[in-house]
Amino acid sequence: MSSAEEKFIPKWIAWESTQRCNLNCVHCRCSSDMSAAAGDFNTAEAFKLIDDICEVSTPVMVLSGGEPLMRADIFEIAEYGTSKGLRMCMATNGTLITDEICQKMLKADIKMVSLSLDGSTAAIHDDFRSSPGAFEGTLRGAETLKRNGIKFLVNSSFTKRNQTDIGNTFQLAKSIGATAWYMFMIVPTGRGEDIMSELISADDYEDILAWHYEQEKNEDDILMRPTCAPHYYRVVPQMAKAEGVDFKRRSLTFSTGGGKGCIAAQTICLIDCFGNLKPCSYFHSSVGNVKQIPFKDLWFNSKTFNDLRDFKSYKGKCGECEFINICGGCRARADAVHGDYMAEEPFCNYIPGRTAKRLAAEAEENAAK
């Protein structure tokens, strides 16, 4: 493996084990519901996928969906991954968790379970999930995990419809015993495209990230991360410098290992239930199919993946930004909004110094005409 290859190896891979789900969430990236595709990986093919991944690295592997608990063989797959040295995790909406499921998780050595809570009340969460009873089901799942000694984190997704409940949702995640809380700023993929008008504005985005910084700076009980919010890696040093503090963020054992903002195709990727490889969970297009082309070849040789690793080729404000190496802007959001994954992050209101100079020069030039 060359030094260039060693710089970019997968540390976190999500495998969409199925697209079927018992919920019908407004923002679902793969438009999951009970009639969605089950996928075309049988158990043996899932084992082979794990073998192929292990030729490159032994990352955290998240069994995702849809709802992974709707796969009858999900724990066979989890046990196989564990036997190969992968740190197996599971992303579930939490409503199907029982004591029996927890025993299977323990047997398969599931390292972490993520649950979804998009509001602090049933009215807010169930509206977001388009499923009455989902809130109580997820809280029941959290209690069952805790009672069985299984660590879990909480993912919370936000749009304009529930952004005023961010603080309360965070407090709820703490109160139910979550190890970590991930605040997701949604990317318009799948059904998320239908709520494009609900995306949080750039100005509100900045205020929310500032709030997150203040919370994280003083938080000792729960780990915190904003997700799909790469400009937080700009906000933190900016605010810490302004306050004259040396803010050291706590590390997450099962994080994506990037230490920066957008790490699509750098240390993370998604493999969907048909075998299509994508730079992250929210990218529209794939770079090829792992059933047809080896995972190793796609990871190292895909044009899209290598484009995303070439920070000097980023366009617009992102390409001119002094924070390019620690932020990078959300590449999936740029692709969804601009139709170009190398374009500037569309929900960032920061004006880099080079951009300000360029705009001033252009204005001066136009005025002289």
Side-chain angles (χ1 to χ4, degrees):
M1 188 179 294
S2 69
S3 59
E5 288 178 334
E6 289 177 353
K7 183 179 180 182
F8 299 110
I9 61 169
K11 297 181 179 179
W12 183 97
I13 294 177
W15 178 51
E16 181 189 83
S17 59
T18 179
Q19 288 183 352
R20 288 188 181 164
C21 185
N22 58 317
L23 303 185
N24 191 28
C25 309
V26 297
H27 65 304
C28 182
R29 60 162 190 82
C30 62
S31 302
S32 293
D33 57 27
M34 289 297 287
S35 63
D40 59 2
F41 279 83
N42 60 33
T43 307
E45 288 170 330
F47 289 177
K48 183 179 185 305
L49 173 62
I50 289 171
D51 291 340
D52 289 347
I53 289 170
C54 288
E55 289 187 11
V56 181
S57 66
T58 51
V60 171
M61 185 172 186
V62 180
L63 300 172
S64 181
E67 173 49 60
L69 292 176
M70 298 192 75
R71 267 195 79 123
D73 61 353
I74 198 66
F75 291 108
E76 290 179 64
I77 296 167
E79 286 189 43
Y80 186 78
T82 295
S83 75
K84 298 294 288 187
L86 303 185
R87 288 164 290 165
M88 302 301 289
C89 302
M90 184 174 289
T92 169
N93 60 50
T95 62
L96 302 180
I97 293 174
T98 62
D99 288 316
E100 182 182 4
I101 290 293
C102 286
Q103 290 307 304
K104 291 179 179 179
M105 288 179 174
L106 290 167
K107 183 173 181 290
D109 196 18
I110 296 290
K111 300 295 187 184
M112 183 70 72
V113 177
S114 66
L115 304 177
S116 299
L117 269 177
D118 304 317
S120 63
T121 67
I124 298 172
H125 177 82
D126 291 358
D127 171 66
F128 211 78
R129 297 271 153 181
S130 299
S131 304
F135 182 74
E136 292 302 325
T138 299
L139 292 185
R140 185 172 58 250
E143 188 278 327
T144 306
L145 289 169
K146 187 175 181 181
R147 178 160 33 84
N148 283 275
I150 298 173
K151 289 182 178 181
F152 66 93
L153 59 85
V154 167
N155 294 325
S156 300
S157 298
F158 296 101
T159 66
K160 289 177 181 177
R161 76 168 64 188
N162 63 339
Q163 72 178 80
T164 59
D165 198 45
I166 290 176
N168 291 334
T169 305
F170 168 58
Q171 292 300 325
L172 175 61
K174 287 180 63 174
S175 72
I176 63 175
T179 296
W181 180 65
Y182 283 41
M183 180 181 74
F184 276 75
M185 312 300 272
I186 77 160
V187 179
T189 308
R191 275 198 294 270
E193 293 182 40
D194 298 332
I195 55 171
M196 187 79 75
S197 63
E198 289 191 34
L199 298 187
I200 293 171
S201 70
D203 288 344
D204 284 354
Y205 209 145
E206 199 81 3
D207 290 342
I208 290 167
L209 293 180
W211 169 85
H212 192 288
Y213 166 79
E214 293 297 340
Q215 294 295 318
E216 186 182 357
K217 185 177 62 173
N218 299 301
E219 182 56 57
D220 295 321
D221 297 329
I222 188 171
L223 296 163
M224 302 176 67
R225 283 293 184 274
T227 305
C228 299
H231 17 321
Y232 189 62
Y233 288 79
R234 163 183 57 80
V235 169
V236 167
Q238 283 181 316
M239 294 189 69
K241 182 178 180 180
E243 295 175 353
V245 300
D246 183 20
F247 176 45
K248 300 292 185 184
R249 302 182 70 198
R250 295 164 66 194
S251 63
L252 303 180
T253 305
F254 296 98
S255 73
T256 49
K260 66 183 289 286
C262 184
I263 47 178
Q266 296 169 47
T267 57
I268 70 169
C269 65
L270 167 85
I271 300 166
D272 75 14
C273 67
F274 301 106
N276 298 308
L277 178 65
K278 301 181 179 183
C280 78
S281 299
Y282 299 97
F283 252 75
H284 284 240
S285 58
S286 75
V287 300
N289 192 289
V290 297
K291 286 190 168 188
Q292 300 164 0
I293 303 171
F295 172 78
K296 183 176 183 179
D297 289 349
L298 289 173
W299 176 268
F300 288 119
N301 301 321
S302 158
K303 178 183 183 303
T304 298
F305 275 41
N306 285 313
D307 283 347
L308 293 170
R309 297 164 185 165
D310 181 11
F311 310 136
K312 293 180 180 178
S313 295
Y314 284 18
K315 302 174 185 177
K317 289 194 304 179
C318 287
E320 297 172 330
C321 188
E322 59 269 32
F323 294 100
I324 181 65
N325 290 321
I326 59 170
C327 171
C330 176
R331 298 297 95 212
R333 196 177 286 118
D335 193 29
V337 175
H338 298 306
D340 181 356
Y341 56 76
M342 298 296 279
E344 66 184 40
E345 157 71 59
F347 288 87
C348 176
N349 66 1
Y350 178 68
I351 305 298
R354 284 175 58 197
T355 303
K357 289 180 180 178
R358 173 176 57 80
L359 293 175
E362 289 175 358
E364 188 174 319
E365 182 180 336
N366 291 332
K369 289 181 180 178

